[in-house]
Amino acid sequence: MPHAIRFKETGGPDVLRWEEVVVGDPGPGEVRIRHEAVGLNFADTYFRTGLYPAPLPAGMGVEAAGVVEAVGAGVTCVREGDRVTYTGSPLGAYSTERVMPADSLIRLPDAIGFETAAASTMRGLTSAYLMRRIHPLRPGDTILLTAAAGGVGLIACQWAKLLGLTVIGTVSSDEKAEVARAHGCDHIVNHRREDIAARVRELTDGVGAHVVFDSVGRTTFAASLASVKRRGLVVCFGTASGPVPPIDAMQLAIRGSVFVTRPALADYIADPAEREELAGELFGHIAAGRIAVEVNQRYALVEAAGAHHELETGRTTGSSVFVL
């Protein structure tokens, strides 16, 4: 019988429950997919804690890869037997199989394995829009990337080097520093013992970074704002430590007429053509070996609560997946 991780109330990892579920036939515009690997993302914890609201009870997870087992009426974008991946709503990726909208799916190139896809679709597409859509980055520009040894961080580091950028990355340990450095990070700042902004200013001769990509949020936003150059851009794309505090617009002027944006992946893959373009570029880099995807943690789906605990306590590096 099919199984899924579900939750009936918000809270800590212990609210996650392994349940037997009924998966019916796909309706018009839908497919039934059998999952081979499921992605574990920090965004999953936001739904579990209630930071991102969801009607309860609910499924968990927004990213997976697998095989199409059946298609509903009117579906032409995929066929039975196709290898596919996806990221985004509706919730429910933490499952052995499910019925879902067909237009959410991305056909998976033969060169990309299921685990790689589940580990890189959300992180990779996030890196893709950060590197290719947010700002006209030019060779020689300097960027600051928080959590450089995380799933997005490692992909973004490699992509940045393909664009000729200088990458300054923040990490929380010497072990993570080595991981980030091995993936192209030029300069490492250990935020547990160094002042991020002071170090960035030192590395940039007092100028600051052209763009700061901040996935941590509450605890790093002030440092990110202090690290960006005059008329530079701070991109707040994650809240691992909590939401960014309210922004005083005058501080943006005081810091040098800087810009701040809070983008969401959904708005950069809403258009099917743009999604296909970004996915094509991402998987092209991976297939060619220009970007390596590190699957450093593998869990059984029934172990979801423990996996969430390890993710939230900073015990993971690179990407994590559930294997089925």
Side-chain angles (χ1 to χ4, degrees):
M1 286 292 293
H3 284 76
I5 294 290
R6 297 181 60 79
F7 65 112
K8 299 178 181 179
E9 59 183 346
T10 58
D14 59 314
V15 303
L16 300 178
R17 295 285 184 268
W18 175 249
E19 298 180 358
E20 188 175 289
V21 295
V22 175
V23 178
D25 295 324
E30 295 180 331
V31 301
R32 186 174 71 245
I33 178 174
R34 183 185 77 252
H35 288 149
E36 297 287 345
V38 175
L40 170 62
N41 296 286
F42 226 103
D44 301 342
T45 71
Y46 302 157
F47 286 106
R48 194 204 71 227
T49 61
L51 179 62
Y52 289 176
L56 299 178
M60 173 57 64
V62 295
E63 176 185 39
V67 178
V68 175
E69 289 199 317
V71 300
V75 174
T76 58
C77 57
V78 293
R79 296 179 298 180
E80 184 177 334
D82 278 353
R83 302 169 69 253
V84 294
T85 187
Y86 66 87
T87 183
S89 59
L91 294 176
Y94 285 23
S95 56
T96 56
E97 59 184 274
R98 68 183 296 198
V99 169
M100 63 180 297
D103 59 9
S104 298
L105 301 178
I106 300 169
R107 295 177 73 171
L108 195 58
D110 292 339
I112 308 298
F114 291 118
E115 287 189 18
T116 297
S120 65
T121 301
M122 171 177 274
R123 297 169 179 86
L125 289 176
T126 297
S127 299
Y129 87 75
L130 292 176
M131 293 294 107
R132 305 296 283 162
R133 294 291 189 271
I134 288 286
H135 185 81
L137 294 164
R138 300 178 178 86
D141 284 356
T142 295
I143 66 169
L144 173 64
L145 182 65
T146 65
V152 172
L154 294 183
I155 296 175
C157 278
Q158 296 173 84
W159 207 315
K161 298 314 295 179
L162 295 176
L163 299 177
L165 308 179
T166 297
V167 182
I168 304 171
T170 73
V171 298
S172 60
S173 69
D174 292 338
E175 177 189 13
K176 291 186 176 183
E178 290 306 312
V179 172
R181 188 173 286 111
H183 289 78
C185 200
D186 297 289
H187 306 285
I188 303 293
V189 181
N190 187 323
H191 66 79
R192 294 192 186 278
R193 59 174 183 251
E194 296 180 276
D195 183 293
I196 295 174
R199 183 64 176 138
V200 171
R201 294 290 172 179
E202 179 183 354
L203 291 168
T204 58
D205 296 324
V207 174
H210 291 78
V211 183
V212 177
F213 296 102
D214 189 337
S215 63
V216 177
R218 181 180 60 82
T219 61
T220 55
F221 178 71
S224 294
L225 201 59
S227 298
V228 72
K229 72 186 292 289
R230 178 180 288 124
R231 294 168 59 183
L233 172 65
V234 177
V235 183
C236 303
F237 72 97
T239 53
S241 67
V244 170
I247 296 172
D248 179 353
M250 184 53 68
Q251 287 299 312
L252 305 183
I254 292 171
R255 291 292 182 183
S257 300
V258 302
F259 297 84
V260 176
T261 185
R262 205 315 182 181
L265 172 60
D267 294 315
Y268 287 84
I269 61 173
D271 178 80
E274 185 168 27
R275 182 181 63 198
E276 289 297 324
E277 182 178 352
L278 291 174
E281 190 168 357
L282 166 66
F283 291 133
H285 284 319
I286 294 174
R290 292 185 292 268
I291 290 178
V293 176
E294 305 291 340
V295 182
N296 292 341
Q297 295 80 214
R298 294 174 173 84
Y299 307 93
L301 194 54
V302 70
E303 301 171 336
H308 273 224
H309 177 71
E310 291 195 1
L311 180 66
E312 289 180 295
T313 54
R315 299 181 185 179
T316 64
T317 60
S319 298
S320 304
V321 298
F322 297 104
V323 291
L324 289 83

